[in-house]
Amino acid sequence: MIDVLVIGGGNAALCAALMAREAGASVLLLEAAPREWRGGNSPHTRNLRCMHDVPQDVLIEAYPEEEYWQDLLKVTGGLTNEKLARMAIRASATCRDWMRQHGVHFQPPLSGALHVARTNAFFMGGGKALMNAYYRSAEKLGVQVRYNAPVDAIELDDGRFKAVRIGAERIEAKACVLAAGGFESNREWLREAWGMNESGEWPADNFLIRGTRFNMGVLLKFMIEAGADPVGDPGQSHCVAIDARAPLYDGGICTRVDCVSLGIMLNRNAERFYDEGEDFWPKRYAIWGRLVAGQPGQIGYSIIDAKAVGRFMPPVFPGAKADTLPELARLLGLNEDAFVNTVEAFNAACRVGTFDHTALDDCHTDGLTPAKTHWALPLDTPPYYGYTLRPGITFTYLGLKVNEQAAVHFGGVPSANLFVAGEMMAGNVLGKGYTAGVGMAIGTAFGRIAGTQAAAAATGMKKENAHAAA
Amino acid sequence: MPRLEALTREASELALGIIPLNADEAEVGRVLQICNACRYCEGFCAVFPAMTRRLEFGKADIHYLSNLCHNCGSCLHACQYAPPHEFAVNVPKAMATVRGKTYADYAWPAAMGALYKRNGLTLSLATAAGLALFLLLAVMRQGSLIHAPLAGDFYAVFPHNLMATMFGIVFGFSMLALMIGVARFWRDVTPGMASSDASLSAAVEATDNVLRLKYLGGGHGEGCNNADDAFTLWRKRFHHFTFYGFMLCFASTSVATLYHYLLKLDAPYALTSLPVLLGITGGIGLLIGPAGLLWLNLQRHPAHGDARQKPMDRGFIALLFLISLTGLALMWWRDSGFMALLLAVHLGVVLALFLTLPYGKFAHGFYRGAALLKFAIEKRMPDRLRLESE
Ligand SMILES: Cc1cc2nc3c(=O)[nH]c(=O)nc-3n(C[C@H](O)[C@H](O)[C@H](O)COP(=O)(O)OP(=O)(O)OC[C@H]3O[C@@H](n4cnc5c(N)ncnc54)[C@H](O)[C@@H]3O)c2cc1C
Ligand code: SF4
Ligand code: SF4
């Protein structure tokens, strides 16, 4: 019988599998996806938020535990378990050497796009390069990997893990780590979680999924129904505004549209609905998905003029482009009069001071609702550009409750041999909100803990069996 | 209707001085647009930092970036948008396709570029065989193909001046053609130059990058990809063997020429003489390098690069290997009765190589060198863009 079964094939799963194998356990990893789509959302990531007290290899200055914790507290609004959060934070300071041993490369801070080099370590080549390295290392160490293996049920015996089932196949193991991600690709479940709005629309029907199509939440649902303690709210997720032309799945990072704060954002009625200049990118980034989801038809239009070009990350799809405002409205399918009125009202309200898109500057509107509090420049320089945006779900927050051993709990009692890591338990730390790089930090910390614990549970059992035989 | 629109667009672009892209260039443009919005591969090589200085990719940018790519494969294996993703991003393949075309498109005289565009292996080998045969015939006419040992006296078979003139002309022409091609490329891709101080340090940096093959290191020094997503330094090493082997052989010939004209020392030279020592070491390098490159080429992941260029790559590799093999054989048996035969074959392959230099894989070193120089210069110029991001 195999010692440790790992379910999932993303970052958390590989961290668990590697640690369990390093601890001497035999390991079988079951990944739902075929090889070419392996890794879930992890291949779309690019960095890891790391605590450090002094400059450390690829990280500059310092990002002490307390600051990290305060950042997390702020974004979650207190929906976090301090003990578990601090464990993840501390682990993020020391995990990079272990990652390097398994072939992961970090990127020295080199370009302007990487000015977050203080808080985040960037994977050279991004998450897919990281996952490739982990898989190579796992195979070299003798971890068995099976692709196209979607687990659909788990056999439990009073909180103890027995076996998994893939259709008619049954696989037993002494211990198990669940690391099968969230439920963001399950459109039915999203629909249910977001419900119907006042206009009778199902907002989630218009959502795009930024990551994998394989995170269906089958095991999450199974476990909750089997009595495992859940944590988090199914309606919570990381939701950003992305180009409406993005593919339904796996659009990844490149479909984001970065120019919102440089212009104005309209809804389907060509009305503004939120302060585009409220704050800097990371914060904005995470709010616009929900804001767009709250608009009729779950659609938004970011409008800029020629002055903005060259000041934001180039978008993957070209925007609609026109020399006059009515023409742009036509191209975007918006009411011309309403569009022109909104832009003119905005232009008239702009109080231009010293424009600086790298600081909270003094360009703002006067007497306009909603106001634009920074970076308010009239849209008056053709050509004008418009980008159509939709809510893009990054991942969901509902998960299973854990303790410091990453054990699954049933009615408050930790399982002896069933553990959970990554997005399936990230909600313990991240009840809502998000700050870049914390998903991988949680997955790496708890993936490693779960792997170690599962190996201990399995080899401990080995000893028990030996006693029994003697 | 779409055709008409395309024609109108082309006409208006032409009027604006925008040169329309061909399908392969358009594919590089498409892929770069995605990369520029993603940028995860920033750390691998110079292509990505060069890319981020641009928002749009015109023909010249595409030629420049395509020649800056070392086809190392890292960004393909790391790509979250690689096939089967619907974006189907394959940077090395798109760039290799354009790169192969630039050698032909910039070739001088233009007609030669078209001629050498295809069937590399066949062509190279046929040229080599043809030339060898030609030389054999010449020798046979003199009735001395198999002869009494001549104690390594090559000039008894081919008079020195004949050889010097023949190879001098062919080599001179090839170098001229290559330089004209590279100069045309350079003119297209470089709108401006940095100050002369910066140019000097840029030249030093580019040379260093070329000599160390920096960008076959994968950005982390563990090498590039060949058969799969694992990194290997062997491609870099075999390139080094090939390059430095070639340079040593070249040095050997140059020293021999100097001996001949300056010191009035005629061949044959002793085994311990400088030209022979340089030639033997270079020859061994030039056996190991191309053999290794061929072996790697055969293992190469099918998604890397442009499969249609494999004959050209292998033709060039085979020629280098043959030159070295025949050269060493000539050295070994130079005192035997087969010297004339071996000499004729060796000279035949060398002549074939010289002839194909500007129109085949050899060109990649020059175009890439130029692209690296441009990168080093550009790096020293201020970046106009002020992109705000995460
Ligand atoms: C576009 C994008 C960018 C991101 N960028 C970052 C970033 O830069 N930094 C960061 O920290 N976080 C980032 N995240 C978040 C990050 O991806 C997640 O926090 C992290 O990948 C979670 O890892 P995981 O192993 O728990 O899940 P995943 O990586 O999603 O892996 C889940 C795995 O489980 C498999 N699976 C699902 N169901 C089953 C089943 N029934 N049986 C077997 N296998 C199953 C899936 O196929 C998959 O392999 C990003 C997410 C997205 C979408
Ligand atoms: S090759 Fe792929 S992962 Fe790399 S920068 Fe381009 S799009 Fe991004
Ligand atoms: S294949 Fe290698 S050299 Fe070419 S662009 Fe990709 S990483 Fe750079």
Side-chain angles (χ1 to χ4, degrees):
Chain A
M1 198 200 301
I2 210 90
D3 290 336
V4 174
L5 202 58
V6 176
I7 306 173
N11 174 60
L14 269 289
C15 287
L18 287 166
M19 287 299 278
R21 186 76 197 107
E22 281 179 332
S26 63
V27 180
L28 171 62
L29 182 140
L30 302 172
E31 157 66 299
R35 190 190 185 287
E36 58 273 24
W37 289 109
R38 72 183 181 188
N41 284 342
S42 302
H44 289 300
T45 66
R46 90 170 130 183
N47 58 38
L48 178 79
R49 184 166 287 252
C50 296
M51 135 187 176
H52 54 108
D53 292 324
V54 289
Q56 231 176 52
D57 51 82
V58 294
L59 298 161
I60 56 169
E61 298 166 30
Y63 187 49
E65 178 176 339
E66 205 43 39
E67 191 184 348
Y68 198 148
W69 162 243
Q70 288 302 330
D71 284 346
L72 205 59
L73 199 60
K74 226 181 296 159
V75 297
T76 57
L79 281 179
T80 175
N81 175 327
E82 178 164 357
K83 201 188 276 170
L84 299 178
R86 285 194 188 267
M87 281 174 69
I89 293 173
R90 284 179 203 145
S92 76
T94 52
C95 63
R96 288 198 312 288
D97 279 337
W98 178 83
M99 294 170 74
R100 282 197 189 90
Q101 278 163 31
H102 291 290
V104 176
H105 294 287
F106 291 93
Q107 182 164 305
L110 27 95
S111 85
L114 301 182
H115 67 237
V116 272
R118 183 174 79 88
T119 54
N120 291 53
F122 285 71
F123 316 132
M124 187 178 277
K128 188 161 178 192
L130 167 131
M131 293 309 299
N132 287 343
Y134 278 164
Y135 272 101
R136 281 200 306 277
S137 190
E139 274 155 32
K140 209 183 292 164
L141 291 173
V143 172
Q144 299 173 56
V145 174
R146 254 182 71 184
Y147 298 106
N148 303 301
V151 174
D152 44 43
I154 293 179
E155 273 177 38
L156 299 161
D157 176 15
D158 195 19
R160 224 188 150 79
F161 169 84
K162 286 294 203 199
V164 299
R165 278 205 301 268
I166 306 172
E169 188 185 357
R170 182 172 183 277
I171 305 171
E172 284 185 15
K174 292 183 191 136
C176 177
V177 176
L178 299 171
F183 69 89
E184 62 276 359
S185 7
N186 188 331
R187 305 199 60 88
E188 267 307 303
W189 196 346
L190 284 181
R191 194 174 208 251
E192 201 181 293
W194 280 76
M196 191 197 270
N197 66 17
E198 314 84 68
S199 338
E201 297 170 329
W202 294 90
D205 288 357
N206 280 320
F207 291 179
L208 299 166
I209 315 304
R210 301 178 69 213
T212 182
R213 64 204 67 190
F214 291 95
N215 286 356
M216 298 294 288
V218 174
L219 296 180
L220 197 55
K221 186 158 253 165
F222 184 94
M223 290 302 298
I224 293 172
E225 280 168 7
D229 301 342
V231 64
D233 165 2
Q236 281 299 337
S237 65
H238 184 248
C239 182
V240 305
I242 60 172
D243 196 297
R245 292 160 289 184
L248 182 52
Y249 294 106
D250 284 303
I253 193 77
C254 79
T255 59
R256 77 210 182 298
V257 176
D258 263 13
C259 56
V260 173
S261 65
L262 296 168
I264 58 171
M265 183 77 146
L266 304 181
N267 64 13
R268 196 169 67 182
N269 307 327
E271 304 155 340
R272 288 178 60 251
F273 53 90
Y274 197 82
D275 176 4
E276 302 90 345
E278 184 185 54
D279 209 340
F280 281 112
W281 173 241
K283 184 168 175 201
R284 251 179 6 246
Y285 186 63
I287 65 171
W288 282 99
R290 275 184 177 271
L291 288 171
V292 171
Q295 294 303 308
Q298 296 75 51
I299 197 153
Y301 302 86
S302 169
I303 314 292
I304 54 169
D305 69 358
K307 297 193 296 294
V309 173
R311 288 191 166 134
F312 63 98
M313 287 283 280
V316 69
F317 300 114
K321 176 179 170 186
D323 285 326
T324 68
L325 292 169
E327 199 188 330
L328 187 63
R330 273 197 302 281
L331 284 177
L332 295 171
L334 296 175
N335 180 291
E336 275 178 51
D337 294 336
F339 181 87
V340 173
N341 285 342
T342 302
V343 175
E344 281 174 356
F346 168 76
N347 285 354
C350 285
R351 299 290 169 267
V352 178
T354 316
F355 177 83
D356 181 356
H357 69 289
T358 63
L360 288 171
D361 72 0
D362 58 357
C363 300
H364 61 95
T365 58
D366 218 5
L368 193 70
T369 343
K372 185 175 179 190
T373 46
H374 301 285
W375 313 298
L377 291 184
L379 296 171
D380 55 8
T381 315
Y384 302 99
Y385 298 84
Y387 296 90
T388 309
L389 306 184
R390 288 256 180 231
I393 300 280
T394 316
F395 49 79
T396 50
Y397 290 172
L398 177 71
L400 304 180
K401 205 171 177 55
V402 294
N403 59 3
E404 287 115 275
Q405 278 78 44
V408 174
H409 284 55
F410 295 88
V413 182
S415 169
N417 66 346
L418 183 58
F419 306 88
V420 56
E423 223 53 88
M424 267 184 106
M425 50 64 66
N428 286 278
V429 178
L430 205 59
K432 69 168 202 188
Y434 186 68
T435 175
V438 83
M440 294 298 275
I442 299 170
T444 307
F446 283 91
R448 295 184 64 203
I449 293 171
T452 314
Q453 294 295 329
T459 43
M461 253 162 63
K462 243 186 215 160
K463 275 177 219 140
E464 274 170 36
N465 290 345
H467 285 304
Chain B
M1 209 38 198
R3 230 185 89 76
L4 188 66
E5 272 171 27
L7 283 176
T8 329
R9 200 189 54 233
E10 260 177 47
S12 63
E13 283 177 348
L14 271 177
L16 286 170
I18 303 171
I19 310 161
L21 304 181
N22 65 36
D24 294 327
E25 291 160 347
E27 171 62 5
V28 171
R30 181 189 76 89
V31 159
L32 285 172
Q33 193 71 36
I34 299 172
C35 289
N36 212 8
C38 164
R39 304 190 171 188
Y40 279 18
C41 293
E42 204 147 17
F44 285 136
C45 72
V47 167
F48 295 91
M51 169 193 81
T52 56
R53 301 178 75 97
R54 293 160 167 78
L55 291 178
E56 285 168 7
F57 302 94
K59 208 179 180 76
D61 300 305
I62 287 169
H63 287 178
Y64 157 50
L65 295 172
S66 295
N67 277 286
L68 198 54
C69 167
H70 288 51
N71 201 12
C72 82
S74 301
C75 66
L76 172 65
H77 291 284
C79 185
Q80 54 186 320
Y81 303 117
H85 193 286
E86 60 194 277
F87 286 171
V89 172
N90 184 336
V91 177
K93 181 174 174 196
M95 292 199 161
T97 311
V98 167
R99 196 163 57 237
K101 285 234 172 83
T102 55
Y103 306 152
D105 290 350
Y106 287 108
W108 180 87
M112 297 292 273
L115 186 71
Y116 281 86
K117 230 178 223 175
R118 324 170 222 296
N119 51 40
L121 181 65
T122 336
L123 188 85
S124 306
L125 292 182
T127 320
L131 289 170
L133 189 68
F134 170 76
L135 292 168
L136 283 176
L137 286 175
V139 177
M140 264 156 61
R141 238 180 37 172
Q142 293 179 349
S144 53
L145 188 55
I146 307 281
H147 47 76
L150 293 167
D153 183 7
F154 302 152
Y155 307 138
V157 186
F158 292 110
H160 183 269
N161 284 342
L162 175 76
M163 282 208 289
T165 318
M166 192 163 168
F167 283 90
I169 290 174
V170 173
F171 187 69
F173 171 80
S174 287
M175 283 299 134
L176 180 73
L178 201 51
M179 289 311 155
I180 292 177
V182 175
R184 285 176 169 184
F185 166 75
W186 184 258
R187 229 186 10 247
D188 278 357
V189 302
T190 43
M193 280 288 243
S195 67
S196 61
D197 272 4
S199 301
L200 181 68
S201 76
V204 171
E205 179 182 318
T207 311
D208 178 67
N209 288 344
V210 170
L211 295 181
R212 287 193 301 121
L213 276 174
K214 174 170 176 197
Y215 293 110
L216 282 185
H220 37 59
E222 284 185 15
C224 53
N225 298 95
N226 194 58
D228 52 28
D229 61 63
F231 301 106
T232 172
L233 277 168
W234 282 109
R235 220 159 115 228
K236 190 170 176 170
R237 289 180 186 138
F238 287 135
H239 261 93
H240 278 327
F241 273 113
T242 308
F243 177 79
Y244 289 102
F246 184 87
M247 293 314 278
L248 286 173
C249 291
F250 191 72
S252 156
T253 313
S254 308
V255 172
T257 310
L258 291 180
Y259 273 23
H260 182 83
Y261 289 109
L262 286 184
L263 306 179
K264 305 279 179 238
L265 280 174
D266 280 346
Y269 302 112
L271 266 177
T272 51
S273 67
L274 192 55
V276 175
L277 286 177
L278 286 172
I280 290 179
T281 13
I284 292 171
L286 208 47
L287 275 186
I288 299 173
L293 288 177
L294 182 64
W295 177 66
L296 290 175
N297 190 284
L298 293 170
Q299 324 267 315
R300 203 83 203 262
H301 192 287
H304 286 190
D306 174 15
R308 285 165 304 175
Q309 285 173 36
K310 281 204 165 168
M312 174 174 87
D313 297 351
R314 289 177 188 166
F316 177 59
I317 293 173
L319 264 184
L320 289 178
F321 184 82
L322 277 180
I323 285 180
S324 179
L325 191 70
T326 55
L328 288 172
L330 179 61
M331 197 62 231
W332 189 257
W333 281 296
R334 67 178 179 174
D335 294 334
S336 80
F338 299 106
M339 187 200 77
L341 179 85
L342 288 168
L343 183 65
V345 173
H346 180 61
L347 292 181
V349 227
V350 174
L351 201 57
L353 177 80
F354 282 9
L355 273 174
T356 55
L357 285 187
Y359 313 112
K361 188 68 183 187
F362 186 77
H364 82 285
F366 290 78
Y367 285 88
R368 183 154 297 135
L372 283 167
L373 179 59
K374 175 170 167 63
F375 174 65
I377 291 173
E378 201 174 71
K379 233 171 76 171
R380 288 164 171 76
M381 308 210 281
D383 193 348
R384 293 169 293 110
L385 298 175
R386 289 180 64 209
L387 305 183
E388 179 211 16
S389 118
E390 221 175 320

